[in-house]
Amino acid sequence: ITKGFPVTLVEGSENLFQQLSDFCAKHKHLNVLGVKTPQYGSHHTKMIILEFESGVRIGIFTANLEKYDWAQKSQGVWWQDFPYSNQRSDEANEKNDHANDFGEILVNYLKIVSRNCKNGLQNLIQRIEGLVDFSDASVALVPSAPGDRKNWTHAGKSLNENGLGRMSFLLSKEPWPPKIGAKETGTLVCQCSSIGSLNANWLNAFKRHLLPDAKFPEDNGLQIIWPSVASVRNSLEGWAAGGSIPAPHKNIFDPKTKKLKETLSKSLCKWKGNSIYGRDCAMPHIKSYFRYFPNRKGSGVLWFLLTSANMSTTAWGLKQKDNALSIKSFELGVLFVPSLLKRPKGEGVEFSVDPGGPLEDFKLVRRGMDDAALESGIPMNLLPIPYVVPPKVFDLRDGDEPWTVDVPRTMLDSHGSKWMA
């Protein structure tokens, strides 16, 4: 990154922005943009856009550009290559029947970011808008960004493009099997690395948006996967891993009863890394949400979201009295749904900006679903979920204790250290 082609960094922290500005001043090909956010909001998106002569590579992930995020934590990464419109053959265009709004949503999101960093992304937007062919996207884009109305709200069309409104819009138009929603609701899994101060009203609204087809979404089984004190202590990083899981005690426990908050008492479940993927001792920084049917044989995942958004109102949005949605943070995720993973008609070679490059061997097999698979959801082998499901509910009577970042820990961790909070 310190030598080579031009690089633009987008940062939301004022302190880091200043440090990066000083660093970039020493390298003419580097540029840094500072994003302004509302109070309590943050620029939390983790995305990379790589421009090649033949097209662009879009990468969306959950790790920050920080050494230990990539080396010792459980993270999620998605990427796909897209050709420039003039690179795609007429025959390929005729075979494509999976066009979605990926390109439109990406450009609209970048325009909001650009407006909040002195229009610093205008040149990038001009190089992408209308010139890159995003019609073959295997996922749907799910952004969050502060609105341009009072209290940073979204209404009308932008409501369907951000946060909870975006999820509800996408899931409402997906052609689910007939039994889904009316007779079977399934379980909603929410796995995150930070939990805000959530009340029952918001959690019910959250479930209504992510289960738009369910008659009684409030009664849906909810599983919020969260690390225990013991798992953090014995992790690769020891107590230090807990610094990246920053939920304070008041967000997990009731200060009066010292028990789990009522809103979490039945839904908070223990993180257990999936040993198949070597995640036993790697603490989560990944954020993922999905719906599945744990009691049905042969059932896959109905949909799966990989995102930067944690369980908070600033990330997902808070409904206002006029039904507008107030969002204070910048987030970005990708939604896997059966219709976009369905095997396309005809044969074709997936486009790559770097044919035979080092990343080609790591690509998941996608678009491997036939019509029959749509009845049971997305096969697990297409989604390498790094934790064990179904998870076990926390039981404080058995000594289970959810991790909280602001409580000192005197027991020595895997590195022989204590946690001073």
Side-chain angles (χ1 to χ4, degrees), residues 197-234:
S197 182
L198 308 177
N199 58 43
N201 288 337
W202 187 85
L203 275 176
N204 285 334
F206 180 81
K207 287 192 281 186
R208 285 195 297 271
H209 281 85
L210 270 63
L211 302 165
D213 59 320
K215 288 188 175 180
F216 304 102
E218 292 85 355
D219 298 332
N220 168 259
L222 176 66
Q223 297 175 337
I224 301 176
I225 298 181
W226 187 253
S228 67
V229 171
S231 62
V232 173
R233 179 191 177 193
N234 297 316

Side-chain angles (χ1 to χ4, degrees), residues 280-340:
D280 305 63
C281 297
M283 284 297 92
H285 194 260
I286 185 175
K287 302 98 168 81
S288 55
Y289 303 77
F290 65 91
R291 183 181 177 188
Y292 77 124
F293 299 85
N295 298 321
R296 193 202 298 174
K297 289 185 178 180
S299 177
V301 174
L302 201 60
W303 53 262
F304 184 92
L305 175 71
L306 177 69
T307 178
S308 63
N310 284 302
M311 290 285 286
S312 73
T313 59
T314 57
W316 284 103
L318 184 64
K319 269 289 183 74
Q320 307 296 293
K321 291 182 179 179
D322 61 354
N323 285 325
L325 186 68
S326 174
I327 297 178
K328 296 182 178 180
S329 289
F330 291 90
E331 311 280 358
L332 197 57
V334 289
L335 178 67
F336 297 82
V337 288
S339 64
L340 291 174

Side-chain angles (χ1 to χ4, degrees), residues 154-384:
H154 294 276
K157 186 174 183 290
S158 71
L159 183 63
N160 293 335
E161 297 181 352
N162 288 275
L164 288 177
R166 176 64 173 166
M167 284 295 289
S168 181
F169 173 77
L170 290 171
L171 297 177
S172 294
K173 69 175 188 176
E174 185 69 13
W176 304 120
K179 292 182 179 180
I180 302 301
K183 297 183 179 180
E184 296 182 271
T185 307
T187 296
L188 179 61
V189 172
C190 307
Q191 177 277 313
C192 53
S193 60
S194 181
I195 297 178
S197 182
L198 308 177
N199 58 43
N201 288 337
W202 187 85
L203 275 176
N204 285 334
F206 180 81
K207 287 192 281 186
R208 285 195 297 271
H209 281 85
L210 270 63
L211 302 165
D213 59 320
K215 288 188 175 180
F216 304 102
E218 292 85 355
D219 298 332
N220 168 259
L222 176 66
Q223 297 175 337
I224 301 176
I225 298 181
W226 187 253
S228 67
V229 171
S231 62
V232 173
R233 179 191 177 193
N234 297 316
S235 69
L236 294 173
E237 298 173 88
W239 295 128
S244 297
I245 313 170
H249 194 270
K250 66 180 179 65
N251 287 3
I252 305 291
F253 291 89
D254 187 314
K256 295 181 180 179
T257 65
K258 308 299 181 184
K259 297 180 180 180
L260 287 178
K261 294 175 71 171
E262 187 175 351
T263 51
L264 300 176
S265 60
K266 296 180 180 179
S267 59
L268 198 65
C269 300
K270 291 188 291 185
W271 160 278
K272 183 179 180 181
N274 194 329
S275 59
I276 296 176
Y277 301 110
R279 301 293 91 192
D280 305 63
C281 297
M283 284 297 92
H285 194 260
I286 185 175
K287 302 98 168 81
S288 55
Y289 303 77
F290 65 91
R291 183 181 177 188
Y292 77 124
F293 299 85
N295 298 321
R296 193 202 298 174
K297 289 185 178 180
S299 177
V301 174
L302 201 60
W303 53 262
F304 184 92
L305 175 71
L306 177 69
T307 178
S308 63
N310 284 302
M311 290 285 286
S312 73
T313 59
T314 57
W316 284 103
L318 184 64
K319 269 289 183 74
Q320 307 296 293
K321 291 182 179 179
D322 61 354
N323 285 325
L325 186 68
S326 174
I327 297 178
K328 296 182 178 180
S329 289
F330 291 90
E331 311 280 358
L332 197 57
V334 289
L335 178 67
F336 297 82
V337 288
S339 64
L340 291 174
L341 289 169
K342 184 181 176 182
R343 185 180 297 122
K345 297 178 182 178
E347 297 296 329
V349 179
E350 186 178 340
F351 172 78
S352 174
V353 295
D354 185 25
L359 291 183
E360 295 303 299
D361 292 338
F362 291 95
K363 282 194 173 182
L364 292 178
V365 177
R366 70 179 183 87
R367 297 216 169 162
M369 295 181 60
D370 55 23
D371 290 333
L374 298 180
E375 291 295 319
S376 57
I378 304 171
M380 284 286 195
N381 65 343
L382 289 182
L383 298 168

